[in-house]
Amino acid sequence: MAADKETALQEIREILKVKLIEQLSLEDVKPEEITDELPLFGEGLGLDSLDAVEIIVLLQRNFGVEVKDAQESREIFQSVNTLAEYIYQQKTGA
Amino acid sequence: MPDFDRTPKAKRRGNRPGIWFFKTVMRVAGLRGAYALLYPVCFYYACFDRAAVRSALPYLSRRFPGMNRWQREWAAYKLFVAQGKNLIDRHALVAGAVSFDTGIVGYDQVAALSGEGQGFILLTSHVGNWQTVMHSLERLEKTVYLLMRPEENPALRKAVQVDSEKSRLKIISPDQHLGGMVEVMQALEQGDIVSIMGDRTYGADGVDVRFMGATARFPYSAFHIAASAGCPVVVLLSSKTGINSYSVNMAEVLWPKLVRGQDRKKQLCDWVQQYADILENYLLVHPLQYFIFYDIWESGNIDHRTKNVE
């Protein structure tokens, strides 16, 4: 069960990294350079608040997942890992 | 009385006793009485508050390049009076003391958008009296979210009743996590209206556009959000046309799109330039309705507010 979850999370992370690069036009960044725990905003990947708009749209279009709770977003938007966890929870209800 | 740049000194111009005094005069003597009081007050500012006059000159010198110094000072005085009238109207409206005849050009298409459940961005400018115009949008029966810092002047905030429980005007602060973008996207998703100021960056990122014969820096966030969310940008312009009347223009509806793989900022700049042209054309007709008491043309302009990314 735990192995299944980890496999699913890994798959989501990989898709996320590719989509982030596409959606945010991060031409100089390769998927393998985005580590799972790399902070997305500020120091780290260096995204700003307008990039957050693109990520919200990315989650809707590619995963059918919506972010509605502003408080929750603080946890969700930390890294690829936290985004993947959120997507997994929303998809499986886990 | 004029609402200049928000320096500590500027705050004192709109303090609680001042607002109370004008509101009392308005109740006793009506709009015309309150307006009459404006002339000496604004004359005082025009003569003795050099910071106030200086803040008006960047706009006036570009809008009226042929004027000499004294003509510009006179124009500054008239601008102060015009803005004072707008502020009095705003308070009168909120107090329920008066109703304004507001003709809206382009209302049908905006109502159609709204009727289809389409959220949109309302791009406002420092032209006319957008706060008063917002009340005229109540007939759309949508909540209007203002992407702005909560009014720093508590007296003024209380007076305009933005964000009160019964108000359909709510504030989304850009100081929140992710600049309030989660709330913005949610509002657009549910078919509501998000109002964003289009002609001053307030420390946010911007692009250089041609505006009144020179380069000015305008923010592009409205167009970026709209392009991402797939929603339109409705340009809102307004002007006071009589004692009890305003003219509102919402005829310009832009649908920004971004082509992936091309320079995003360059594409956004083209959309912002369209808006700058619309605003400039409007100001040709309504020159003394532009209350931008800040030099948006200054080269390498760094706004005094800091950008909040987190």
Side-chain angles (χ1 to χ4, degrees):
Chain A
M1 190 70 178
D4 288 350
K5 180 183 175 184
E6 185 47 42
T7 306
L9 280 173
Q10 187 56 33
E11 196 176 316
I12 294 169
R13 287 187 206 109
E14 284 171 17
I15 297 171
L16 266 176
K17 289 173 187 177
V18 172
K19 293 292 178 190
L20 280 172
I21 289 169
E22 276 178 20
Q23 190 88 20
L24 303 176
S25 301
L26 304 172
E27 289 94 353
D28 300 334
V29 181
K30 293 188 172 65
E32 57 271 24
E33 292 172 351
I34 305 175
T35 59
D36 296 347
E37 301 292 344
L38 183 71
L40 297 176
F41 297 90
E43 296 295 321
L45 202 51
L47 305 183
D48 63 21
S49 56
L50 287 175
D51 292 320
V53 172
E54 305 266 12
I55 298 177
I56 292 168
V57 173
L58 183 159
L59 295 182
Q60 283 175 348
R61 289 187 186 156
N62 294 280
F63 299 97
V65 168
E66 293 193 355
V67 181
K68 291 194 169 173
D69 189 333
Q71 294 302 320
E72 232 180 14
S73 70
R74 192 176 288 275
E75 299 295 323
I76 299 167
F77 284 79
Q78 284 183 18
S79 64
V80 165
N81 212 18
T82 55
L83 281 173
E85 284 279 359
Y86 181 70
I87 293 166
Y88 182 80
Q89 283 172 15
Q90 294 295 305
K91 298 295 252 184
T92 62
Chain B
M1 192 68 186
D3 184 18
F4 307 112
D5 197 9
R6 296 174 185 186
T7 59
K9 186 174 182 182
K11 284 182 188 174
R12 289 201 296 273
R13 294 186 183 109
N15 59 19
R16 200 178 296 273
I19 290 173
W20 175 84
F21 183 66
F22 268 91
K23 283 171 81 171
T24 303
V25 172
M26 188 179 67
R27 283 198 196 96
V28 174
L31 272 183
R32 286 175 195 274
Y35 287 172
L37 204 61
L38 269 179
Y39 294 95
V41 170
C42 290
F43 190 72
Y44 167 82
Y45 282 121
C47 291
F48 302 109
D49 191 338
R50 301 316 296 165
V53 175
R54 272 198 304 274
S55 68
L57 293 180
Y59 164 62
L60 292 172
S61 62
R62 285 170 180 84
R63 177 60 185 84
F64 303 108
M67 280 185 174
N68 63 33
R69 182 191 162 185
W70 299 111
Q71 287 170 319
R72 278 183 198 154
E73 300 249 340
W74 181 247
Y77 163 69
K78 291 200 292 184
L79 200 61
F80 296 166
V81 171
Q83 196 198 22
K85 287 180 179 177
N86 276 276
L87 291 172
I88 287 170
D89 289 354
R90 188 196 300 175
H91 291 296
L93 188 74
V94 171
V98 67
S99 63
F100 292 101
D101 176 17
T102 310
I104 305 180
V105 178
Y107 177 79
D108 288 347
Q109 62 178 339
V110 173
L113 284 174
S114 198
E116 294 163 8
Q118 172 70 62
F120 61 86
I121 289 174
L122 198 60
L123 194 61
T124 56
S125 316
H126 287 79
V127 62
N129 192 348
W130 62 269
Q131 294 93 337
T132 300
V133 170
M134 290 294 171
H135 287 274
S136 70
L137 298 179
E138 283 176 355
R139 65 181 110 158
L140 292 175
E141 297 185 340
K142 297 286 180 186
T143 301
V144 180
Y145 292 89
L146 311 173
L147 184 62
M148 60 184 283
R149 289 178 172 83
E151 180 57 66
E152 288 177 356
N153 184 329
L156 197 58
R157 184 181 178 187
K158 184 167 181 279
V160 297
Q161 289 187 349
V162 172
D163 227 16
S164 66
E165 263 183 43
K166 62 180 180 181
S167 175
R168 293 200 85 147
L169 289 178
K170 303 288 180 191
I171 290 177
I172 296 176
S173 171
D175 290 335
Q176 297 176 74
H177 180 57
L178 300 178
M181 288 302 124
V182 173
E183 291 88 343
V184 165
M185 292 299 280
Q186 196 177 342
L188 293 171
E189 181 75 22
Q190 63 200 25
D192 283 325
I193 302 166
V194 176
S195 171
I196 300 177
M197 192 63 80
D199 58 354
R200 185 172 164 184
T201 61
Y202 290 107
D205 208 359
V207 289
D208 289 340
V209 293
R210 294 294 295 172
F211 186 54
M212 296 189 177
T215 301
R217 176 146 284 215
F218 280 8
Y220 59 76
S221 59
F223 293 97
H224 191 161
I225 294 167
S228 301
C231 75
V233 173
V234 176
V235 181
L236 174 73
L237 301 161
S238 74
S239 59
K240 185 170 173 63
T241 51
I243 294 250
N244 286 92
S245 61
Y246 276 87
S247 164
V248 180
N249 189 310
M250 300 172 80
E252 300 286 352
V253 180
L254 308 173
W255 289 84
K257 291 192 170 37
L258 295 177
V259 179
R260 194 168 293 167
Q262 293 184 14
D263 187 337
R264 193 165 67 177
K265 210 162 178 179
K266 167 74 176 63
Q267 294 181 71
L268 288 166
C269 186
D270 292 342
W271 289 102
V272 178
Q273 184 64 63
Q274 281 193 48
Y275 156 69
D277 293 342
I278 291 166
L279 179 58
E280 184 171 338
N281 286 331
Y282 192 80
L283 294 176
L284 289 176
V285 184
H286 306 282
L288 292 179
Q289 291 287 310
Y290 196 41
F291 309 120
I292 186 93
F293 296 103
Y294 185 79
D295 191 356
I296 56 175
W297 292 271
E298 192 181 342
S299 178
N301 205 350
I302 304 295
D303 225 330
H304 70 275
R305 290 168 185 275
T306 54
K307 183 180 179 184
N308 185 296
V309 170
E310 202 273 335

